Amino acid sequence: MDELEQIRKQAHQAAEELCETAKLRAGQLVVIGCSSSEVSGSRIGSDSKPQVADAVFAGLSEVFREKGVWMAAQCCEHLNRALIVEREALPNAEQVNVIPQPKAGGSFATAAYREFAHPIAVEEIRADAGLDIGGTLIGMHLKKVAVPVRLSVTHIGEAILLAARTRAKFVGGSRAVYDEGLL
């Protein structure tokens, strides 16, 4: 199996496991941060690889599209970690004007912009879950309260993979009773 196919399969498996573990439902939003440099074994931001980003995007989108879960592709720090989303996912969002490029936004966000039917850029979201591929720092775009998710896939290519889901905040004290379905 060639390297890009292996990367696609790792991304696909990670998305499947995240959907299952986080109990994602149609209409929910997942933030993806991906350093194609890290996936290919280089330091983040140093060696953008569009073909690697395309493989990751393909593996993830196969799963999320089938399940009706929206993806938000986080841009790199050069675009202040703006996000690329489908307009339909956030119809009332305040759009910002930028088109990501491999060296200004990142190869993964560029792939998302190219592949989404009606892409828009936004400054912030509050996602239900996320995948951080290569230390891209997605936490600012997750709802409170973020909970780490352990996946069997620990790397995509050479990049460390971290996953998170969110849960409703607990309110109350020692006498409070909580809905187990929201945990």
Side-chain angles (χ1 to χ4, degrees):
M1 176 182 327
D2 81 335
E3 182 181 354
L4 293 177
E5 180 59 17
Q6 179 67 25
I7 288 167
R8 186 198 66 74
K9 285 187 173 193
Q10 289 170 329
H12 187 279
Q13 183 178 347
E16 285 281 357
E17 289 182 25
L18 181 64
C19 284
E20 182 179 327
T21 304
K23 300 180 178 105
L24 293 175
R25 301 177 313 276
Q28 289 189 301
L29 189 60
V30 174
V31 62
I32 310 294
C34 176
S35 168
S36 63
S37 299
E38 290 278 338
V39 173
S40 55
S42 297
R43 187 177 48 80
I44 192 169
S46 69
D47 191 22
S48 195
K49 297 222 184 282
Q51 67 276 21
V52 168
D54 290 345
V56 174
F57 184 87
L60 297 175
S61 66
E62 290 167 4
V63 175
F64 294 131
R65 281 185 185 150
E66 176 185 308
K67 298 185 181 300
V69 172
W70 297 107
M71 262 198 309
Q74 179 180 273
C75 295
C76 72
E77 66 181 299
H78 297 99
L79 298 185
N80 297 324
R81 296 198 181 7
L83 302 120
I84 306 303
V85 298
E86 286 279 13
R87 180 181 309 278
E88 188 179 346
L90 299 172
N92 299 316
E94 183 177 344
Q95 184 175 350
V96 295
N97 188 1
V98 71
I99 298 173
Q101 304 298 307
K103 296 281 187 181
S107 290
F108 185 78
T110 301
Y113 195 90
R114 184 184 63 246
E115 296 298 325
F116 286 165
H118 303 287
I120 62 169
V122 298
E123 286 187 288
E124 60 187 10
I125 59 168
R126 290 289 171 234
D128 300 289
L131 293 172
D132 185 325
I133 305 165
T136 61
L137 304 176
I138 63 169
M140 68 183 78
H141 296 301
L142 291 169
K143 289 178 181 174
K144 297 176 184 176
V145 172
V147 178
V149 173
R150 298 282 183 228
L151 305 176
S152 70
V153 180
T154 59
H155 288 76
I156 294 182
E158 298 297 315
I160 294 171
L161 174 64
L162 298 175
R165 66 175 179 83
T166 61
R167 66 160 173 78
K169 293 179 186 181
F170 293 144
V171 295
S174 61
R175 293 181 281 175
V177 176
Y178 301 110
D179 182 341
E180 294 290 321
L182 295 177
L183 300 180

